[in-house]
Amino acid sequence: MARIPVYFMPGLAASPTIFERIKLPEDTFETVLLEWMLPEENESLKHYAARMAKKIAHENPVLVGVSFGGILVQEIAKIIPVRKTIIISSAKCNTEYPRKFKIAKTTGAYKWLPLKLLLKVEDLAKYSFGAKINQRLKLYEKYLSVRDLKYLEWAIAQVMLWDRCEPDDSVIHIHGDADEVFPAKYIKGYIPVKGGTHIMIVNRYRWLNENLPKIILDGIK
């Protein structure tokens, strides 16, 4: 029996190394890590998804996306046949966004985020903001690989302006009940991870390693 191809898409600006501790049984699954490309000028999310879909070499794959990567794999699944679409720490449609996202979209405030600071995480890490924040900065320094300002501006705009208003019931949604970016109170129809935060792909990998294979195989003949 051929192995099941599973493609992983990281979160906004993140490196595929966020999946370094995710281990699927190699006799059953073939794991492929996708990386962010720089967007073209004024590129739509639909067009970007079509370009990313060309990097998928297997037929009928399983797509797994984290955060903005979860939004992207849902768009890819509209273009190519997929076996399953699984999102982690993400949203199935814009109605699952928190109020702060909707306010930022309405006011255009997302356009004024200090994105240049993200490009200089190493400089921020030199200052003491408290143990918790410093730990988060170290994670950003390790896992944020796309340090391109135009990419960051584009990616945040795509999240804010995503036009999907209704969830696709076929999408499998894994979500932490302590997610601070997409609070669980706004999310419907998901597999809960107790204590899981927005970065649970990194710090709750044991739960994912135990449960993700079963989630992928469920219903597959």
Side-chain angles (χ1 to χ4, degrees):
M1 181 178 175
R3 293 186 298 166
I4 297 171
V6 183
Y7 282 75
F8 286 88
M9 188 74 220
L12 193 152
S15 161
T17 56
I18 67 167
F19 302 113
E20 63 186 356
R21 294 181 176 177
I22 302 300
K23 306 295 182 185
L24 301 180
E26 293 183 3
D27 59 336
T28 305
F29 305 100
E30 181 177 353
T31 298
V32 183
L33 304 181
L34 294 170
E35 295 188 56
W36 290 105
M37 309 177 292
L38 293 181
E40 297 175 351
E41 193 71 26
N42 299 316
E43 187 169 23
S44 68
L45 183 60
K46 180 179 179 180
H47 189 271
Y48 188 94
R51 286 204 294 137
M52 186 64 73
K54 293 178 181 178
K55 295 183 176 291
I56 296 175
H58 299 81
E59 292 185 1
N60 211 26
V62 173
L63 303 181
V64 181
V66 174
S67 193
F68 179 41
I71 291 173
L72 180 61
V73 297
Q74 291 177 77
E75 292 298 311
I76 293 172
K78 291 163 61 177
I79 299 169
I80 63 171
V82 300
R83 196 167 309 196
K84 281 189 177 182
T85 303
I86 300 171
I87 65 173
I88 301 170
S89 307
S90 188
K92 295 183 291 299
C93 56
N94 58 26
T95 58
E96 294 187 333
Y97 283 2
R99 286 186 67 248
K100 61 185 177 183
F101 277 33
K102 296 171 184 176
I103 293 171
K105 176 183 176 180
T106 301
T107 62
Y110 67 90
K111 299 176 183 177
W112 309 108
L113 293 172
L115 299 179
K116 289 183 179 180
L117 289 178
L118 278 179
L119 305 180
K120 298 181 178 180
V121 175
E122 294 87 350
D123 291 344
L124 282 175
K126 294 176 184 176
Y127 302 93
S128 179
F129 295 100
K132 188 173 183 180
I133 295 178
N134 282 343
Q135 182 181 22
R136 185 65 62 90
L137 286 173
K138 287 180 180 178
L139 287 174
Y140 286 159
E141 185 178 354
K142 178 177 180 180
Y143 292 118
L144 261 64
S145 64
V146 187
R147 304 290 183 88
D148 183 273
L149 185 60
K150 287 185 178 180
Y151 164 84
L152 291 173
E153 292 172 342
W154 172 85
I156 289 172
Q158 301 316 306
V159 174
M160 292 294 148
L161 302 176
W162 193 33
D163 59 3
R164 180 170 291 190
C165 301
E166 297 288 337
D168 180 345
D169 291 337
S170 70
V171 173
I172 299 167
H173 193 167
I174 303 171
H175 207 79
D177 63 9
D179 194 301
E180 65 278 19
V181 176
F182 297 105
K185 66 181 180 180
Y186 298 106
I187 307 295
K188 296 180 180 178
Y190 65 96
I191 299 169
V193 179
K194 188 173 182 180
T197 66
H198 195 64
I199 59 169
M200 68 179 185
I201 193 70
V202 174
N203 57 25
R204 295 303 301 275
Y205 65 91
R206 291 186 180 87
W207 187 98
L208 290 162
N209 284 341
E210 180 182 350
N211 292 279
L212 197 52
K214 294 180 286 187
I215 291 169
I216 293 172
L217 292 172
D218 184 36
I220 291 180
K221 296 180 181 180

